[in-house]
Structures are given as C-alpha cells and as structure tokens.
C-alpha cells in the first residue's frame, strides 16, 4: 500500500463538517474558543518530575477523535514509524533484535516544539486542503500556538510534520547498514557496529534543519548477555521478553493476589500482566497464566 494519506477530497468547510459529522457551527465555535474547552493537568512522570498536559473537554475530544479518524486512521506511515496503530511494542523491538549495538535518542519537547505554522503547512500542502479548511483544522488541533500532548491528533500530526527529519535518518541508516525506528519522540538505531559520532552529527543537523532538538538519552551496546530495553521490551540477542521491571511488577501482583485471592481488582490486574507477558513472550505468559489460575481456582 502506498505511503501517505487516504483521506477524502475536501474543498470547503461544509465538506469538512460533513466528513467529520460535526456541524460547521460547532467547528467554528470550538476553533475560536479553545481556551474555554481545555484545562491544565499535572501528572507525575516515572522520574518523579511533573508533566504538564493540556486536556481538552469531552466535546472537543470527540471532535479531535473525528479529525483523527478521517485524516489519520487510514494513513500509511513509513515502515520505521511505530506506536500509531497497526503495530505493537513487540513489532517495534523486533526491528532491533539480534543487532550488536543500539543507540537511543529523544526529540526534546517533541509536541510543543511543533508550532501552529508547521501544522497549518501540513494541512495545506501535505493534505492539500484549501486555506479556510487548513486554518480551522490548525485552530482545532493546536493550543497556545503549538501541538499539545493531551490531544488525540498530536502524535499523528507530529509524525507527519517530522517526516523530513525521520526520512533523512532512515536514508542514513540504510546507507550504513543500520536499522531505524521512531516511536513518537523516541528514535532508535541499531546495527552490527555504529559510528556514533557520525550518527549524532547527522541527527543533530537534521533535527535543527527541521526546527527540532535532540536529547542524547542512552547510547550503548546490547547482546545476548546484557540485553537492552526498547519501549518496554527487553531484547537479548534475538529473544524478546518484557523488561525486568515489568516482570517484577507482575510477580508482586501475583504475590498480592495469593494473599487476597478474592480481590477482583488484583485478579484483573494479574490477567492484564498475563496478556502482556504472553504478547511479548508466549512461554512467559503461559507460566504466569498457570500461576494465576492456580490461585483463583484454588478451593477456599
């Protein structure tokens, strides 16, 4: 299937309203009154630092989900793009399994680094929409003149806007015998050997050209002995497992369930871990399933 969008031809606001199944008056109202329909939410990241998110109202969320459905649900991304539907964490990790070296980097403040001008240009040129339609979609999908993490459309828009960067990186990797993948703002590179200095030179240059910056997060080698974590999946040679941290949390949940076998919340949580472990590594999932079943089916 050819890469790119498969959205309908839209030549006016009336046609946009029809495609989204949202009244034109609603599109205009929410686009011009975004500040009344978002709220600031603070969440705690894994490292304990605060993460500030702009959360849209229920009605605005519904509109954004319609925008996502019409313009992005059937979008065909390059093979190196993961995390936007149609593939899994296991699929992503498998790209880099069996390689000797893995280099990981983050795009710094990925969403807020993409301003409303870049989003408008995407709607106008990439989707080939008329000015009035591109303008209203930009107003609906950005806030404070930039992409926001809490919007259903942001990951997709960011991936499209960043394609000049990521295509350049993919071309560099193919020319140098490496594999490349993008998972939202995570960039991963693997190969038998990697010239890290040249890679980061290319990465920083391409990022700057496209108005983005890079945070050098992790670099190093992984192999059958050391392993390496890739979006929650541990790769040991060509073997994939859930990371040790996830397996430990699963084990603690199992222990708690053993002490309180009638706790439906714990049982549900254990089944969730069971499904995740099985998805990554079937043998791990089957072993965990047997332990869960032994507890919940045990006579009281």
């Amino acid at each position: 299937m050819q890469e790119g969008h498969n959205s309908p031809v839209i030549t006016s606001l009336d046609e946009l309203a029809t495609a989204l199944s949202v009244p034109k008056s609603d599109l205009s109202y929410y686009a011009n009154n975004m500040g009344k329909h978002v709220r600031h939410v603070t969440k705690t990241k894994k490292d304990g630092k605060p993460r500030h998110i702009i959360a849209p109202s229920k009605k605005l969320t519904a509109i954004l989900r319609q925008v996502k459905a019409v313009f992005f649900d059937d979008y065909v991304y390059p093979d190196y793009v993961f995390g936007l539907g149609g593939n899994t964490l296991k699929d992503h990790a498998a790209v880099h399994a069996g390689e000797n070296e893995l280099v990981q980097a983050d795009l710094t403040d990925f969403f807020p680094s993409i301003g409303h001008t870049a989003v408008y240009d995407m709607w106008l040129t990439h989707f080939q929409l008329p000015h009035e339609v591109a303008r209203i979609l930009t107003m609906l999908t950005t806030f404070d003149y930039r992409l926001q993490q809490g919007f259903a459309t942001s990951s997709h828009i960011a991936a499209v806007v960043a394609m000049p960067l990521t295509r350049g990186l993919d071309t560099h990797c193919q020319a140098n015998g490496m594999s490349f993948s993008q998972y939202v703002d995570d960039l991963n590179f693997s190969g038998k050997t990697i010239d890290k200095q040249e890679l980061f030179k290319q990465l920083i240059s391409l990022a700057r050209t496209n108005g983005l910056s890079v945070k050098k997060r992790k670099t190093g080698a992984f192999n059958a002995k050391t392993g390496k974590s890739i979006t929650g999946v541990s790769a040991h040679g060509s073997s994939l497992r859930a990371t040790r941290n996830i397996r430990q949390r699963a084990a603690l949940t199992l222990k708690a369930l053993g002490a309180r076998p009638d706790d439906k919340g714990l049982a549900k949580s254990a089944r969730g871990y069971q499904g995740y472990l099985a998805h990554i590594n079937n043998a791990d999932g089957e072993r965990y399933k047997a332990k869960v079943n032994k507890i919940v089916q045990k006579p009281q």
Side-chain angles (χ1 to χ4, degrees):
M1 189 177 293
Q2 186 175 358
E3 290 180 7
H5 71 87
N6 296 285
S7 54
V9 175
I10 295 173
T11 62
S12 68
L13 287 177
D14 287 320
E15 291 181 359
L16 176 65
T18 299
L20 298 179
S21 300
V22 177
K24 186 170 71 169
S25 59
D26 281 6
L27 295 179
S28 178
Y29 169 75
Y30 283 95
N32 287 285
N33 294 276
M34 292 287 285
K36 297 179 180 179
H37 297 281
V38 299
R39 58 190 177 92
H40 296 261
V41 177
T42 301
K43 296 185 177 182
T44 303
K45 297 190 287 187
K46 291 181 180 179
D47 60 6
K49 296 180 180 179
R51 184 193 300 277
H52 303 291
I53 295 174
I54 301 296
S57 66
K58 290 184 178 180
K59 178 60 178 178
L60 180 55
T61 294
I63 292 174
L64 291 172
R65 285 175 177 168
Q66 285 298 96
V67 173
K68 173 182 170 294
V70 170
F71 292 99
F72 297 108
D73 278 4
D74 292 328
Y75 196 102
V76 180
Y77 293 93
D79 291 341
Y80 59 76
V81 175
F82 291 83
L84 297 178
N87 49 50
T88 66
L89 293 176
K90 182 179 180 180
D91 294 331
H92 180 217
V95 172
H96 304 287
E99 298 288 9
N100 292 336
E101 295 189 345
L102 173 73
V103 172
Q104 298 177 302
D106 284 345
L107 290 170
T108 307
D109 296 327
F110 187 31
F111 292 162
S113 294
I114 298 175
H116 69 290
T117 300
V119 175
Y120 171 78
D121 287 342
M122 178 203 73
W123 291 120
L124 190 69
T125 60
H126 187 77
F127 285 91
Q128 299 182 313
L129 297 171
H131 162 73
E132 63 176 358
V133 175
R135 176 177 172 273
I136 207 89
L137 284 171
T138 300
M139 294 170 72
L140 287 167
T141 56
T142 62
F143 180 71
D144 196 20
Y145 305 105
R146 65 193 69 191
L147 287 185
Q148 298 293 339
Q149 188 168 354
F151 286 19
T153 47
S154 290
S155 293
H156 297 268
I157 293 173
V160 174
V161 171
M163 276 185 189
L165 162 65
T166 56
R167 286 193 189 281
L169 293 172
D170 187 51
T171 297
H172 173 78
C173 288
Q174 289 188 38
N176 290 275
M178 297 187 296
S179 297
F180 167 65
S181 69
Q182 174 194 9
Y183 195 97
V184 191
D185 60 346
D186 293 338
L187 306 177
N188 299 272
F189 312 83
S190 64
K192 299 305 178 185
T193 59
I194 297 177
D195 184 338
K196 298 179 182 64
Q197 184 174 357
E198 178 61 24
L199 173 61
F200 273 97
K201 178 182 176 182
Q202 292 289 328
L203 174 55
I204 292 169
S205 175
L206 283 166
R208 284 177 178 169
T209 300
N210 290 278
L212 299 168
S213 60
V214 178
K215 177 170 59 179
K216 189 175 179 180
R217 177 165 56 98
K218 298 176 183 177
T219 61
F222 74 93
N223 52 42
K225 291 183 178 180
T226 62
K228 196 66 177 179
S229 174
I230 309 165
T231 53
V233 180
S234 180
H236 293 258
S238 58
S239 176
L240 300 177
R241 301 185 72 188
T243 59
R244 178 179 296 180
N245 179 267
I246 292 174
R247 298 199 308 272
Q248 288 176 339
R249 295 206 308 265
L252 289 173
T253 298
L254 192 67
K255 183 177 180 180
L257 181 63
R260 303 196 301 277
D262 292 328
D263 190 317
K264 293 183 179 180
L266 280 173
K268 182 178 180 180
S269 180
R271 292 300 185 190
Y273 278 117
Q274 173 192 316
Y276 183 79
L277 292 172
H279 167 66
I280 305 300
N281 184 295
N282 188 63
D284 285 346
E286 287 298 317
R287 283 192 291 268
Y288 194 83
K289 178 182 178 180
K291 292 176 182 178
V292 173
N293 287 344
K294 187 175 180 179
I295 292 172
V296 298
Q297 295 175 5
K298 174 171 68 175
Q300 301 301 309

